[in-house]
Amino acid sequence: SLVMVATFGKPRFRKGANWELLRLASVLNTSVPGGAAKLLSAFRRYHNGSIVSYADRRWSRGKVYHALGFSLLGKTTPSYFYYKGDLRRNRMNFQKAKLKDLPSYSADKTEAQIMAEEGWNRIYDCGNLVFMLEA
């Protein structure tokens, strides 16, 4: 059965990289010794170039990236989400240009003001660690 998976794609934010390691996940409460290295090695058999990836500082210190030979490039600033009750949504869904149909929309208001009037609150994360594996 499948116990670990890695997904790769075009870089979303760092245009100088060839690839981005988008997700590395294993079955809940399951350790797969050497699994990340094996998945990276399989990817490298078919794809060349540099790989960028991000570790969410809420959950990770980047240990797996160091073990795989990635270099720490730096840290991103904290970002935010919106929440309302049990719902949590990415801020990208609520950019001001996307809020024009909301009752409280006004060109004079900021995104934050509009969202607050709609009952949504902001919650901030801890930022990300940015890692690069050169070609």
Side-chain angles (χ1 to χ4, degrees):
S1 65
L2 183 65
V3 293
M4 189 172 212
V5 65
T7 60
F8 296 84
K10 292 181 181 180
R12 297 169 295 165
F13 310 109
R14 187 160 296 263
K15 301 304 176 197
N18 301 105
W19 300 98
E20 182 176 339
L21 172 54
L22 299 165
R23 291 282 184 272
L24 181 62
S26 63
V27 172
L28 185 63
N29 299 321
T30 302
S31 176
V32 184
K38 290 175 185 175
L39 290 170
L40 179 61
S41 177
F43 179 78
R44 285 291 205 192
R45 279 197 296 269
Y46 301 99
H47 305 285
N48 296 319
S50 59
I51 302 171
V52 66
S53 195
Y54 303 86
D56 187 329
R57 293 179 68 199
R58 289 178 292 175
W59 318 113
S60 175
R61 292 185 181 160
K63 184 177 174 183
V64 69
Y65 293 104
H66 292 293
L68 294 173
F70 281 74
S71 298
L72 178 65
L73 296 182
K75 301 172 185 175
T76 66
T77 58
S79 187
Y80 60 90
F81 297 84
Y82 283 104
Y83 72 94
K84 185 179 197 178
D86 291 338
L87 300 175
R88 188 185 87 168
R89 299 288 183 259
N90 187 292
R91 67 185 174 85
M92 302 305 278
N93 298 319
F94 299 106
Q95 295 170 334
K96 187 173 178 180
K98 297 177 181 178
L99 304 178
K100 290 181 180 179
D101 294 334
L102 294 177
S104 60
Y105 177 83
S106 169
D108 303 0
K109 297 177 186 175
T110 66
E111 168 195 308
Q113 290 170 324
I114 297 166
M115 293 305 292
E117 289 179 23
E118 293 291 327
W120 290 85
N121 298 294
R122 278 187 179 184
I123 186 170
Y124 287 82
D125 65 17
C126 300
N128 294 296
L129 299 173
V130 184
F131 290 94
M132 180 74 80
L133 182 63
E134 296 300 332

